[in-house]
Amino acid sequence: DIQMTQSPSSISVSLGDRFTITCRASQDIGNYLSWYQQKPEKSPKLMIYRATNLEDGVPSRFSGSRSGSDYSLTINSLESEDTGIYFCLQHKQYPWTFGGGTKLELK
Amino acid sequence: QVQLKESGPGLVQPSETLSLTCTVSGFSLTSYSVSWVRQPSGKGPEWMGRMWYDGDTAYNSALKSRLSISRDTSKNQVFLKMNSLQTDDTGTYYCTRVSVRKPPFDYWGQGVMVTVSS
């Protein structure tokens, strides 16, 4: 199975800060990676697909990038509504696997 | 308007079988695949399996021996059955639409909480 190592597992960030979450894939996954945001007691919400594509309606302060086997989600100028847990997901190879999650809180 | 809604028992006895239904609207099961994803409380999600638009299935190898996914296209429903449930199968179970354009999951159901306990 492809392991997705996500970091950090949690972080407190100030409003207006820039923040990056990274998922490292244990094997090549091409750009078959998506990012999801999950609020408490809610279903995950698609934020980024195919590594770099912003889902409709997602603010432009969110962006996705890739460097080798590292995939990153960056939030520029954090807003209060951005808190929650973020997961990456690889869908290159079965079984599709998620990262362990990053809990983003406000300082 | 695309919607998915899970239904099923909230409590299952250990060693028994879990049966869940995902009822979809706003799209056709013969055009889109549907996956099941589960999430233990406070943990990351786990992909369980997929019902392809053509009726084929794919399963997470870790669950394959216990898991079965089927569908009834006339009722717009996808079914999950998993046997030999244990306490670590407790969690929220979601059905999701698998998109080709925005892969893999563009829409999620609200989820159903399943507790395995005697």
Side-chain angles (χ1 to χ4, degrees), chain A residues 63-81:
Chain A
S63 63
S65 63
R66 172 190 178 184
S67 176
S69 60
D70 288 346
Y71 294 81
S72 297
L73 172 71
T74 296
I75 308 172
N76 286 300
S77 192
L78 188 81
E79 297 192 9
S80 58
E81 65 184 32

Side-chain angles (χ1 to χ4, degrees), chain A residues 1 34 36 38 42-46 49-50 55-56 87 89 91 94-96 98-100, chain B residues 35 37 39 44-47 50 52 58 60 94 98 100-105 108-110:
Chain A
D1 297 1
S34 54
Y36 299 85
Q38 188 173 29
K42 296 292 186 183
S43 308
K45 172 189 174 184
L46 176 66
Y49 61 96
R50 288 204 180 97
E55 165 66 325
D56 295 342
F87 296 100
L89 166 66
H91 57 101
Y94 290 141
W96 295 347
F98 289 84
Chain B
S35 270
V37 173
Q39 185 173 25
E46 176 184 37
W47 175 77
R50 174 180 184 175
W52 282 80
N60 188 324
Y94 298 96
V98 182
V100 174
R101 197 167 70 88
K102 298 177 181 178
F105 307 138
W108 295 65
Q110 64 191 20

Side-chain angles (χ1 to χ4, degrees), chain A residues 6-40:
Chain A
Q6 186 171 344
S7 61
S9 57
S10 66
I11 192 164
S12 294
V13 184
S14 299
L15 290 173
D17 280 357
R18 184 174 186 264
F19 173 64
T20 296
I21 303 168
T22 298
C23 275
R24 175 166 292 175
S26 63
Q27 302 175 34
D28 176 48
I29 59 170
N31 278 349
Y32 290 86
L33 181 115
S34 54
W35 290 98
Y36 299 85
Q37 176 196 65
Q38 188 173 29
K39 298 283 190 178

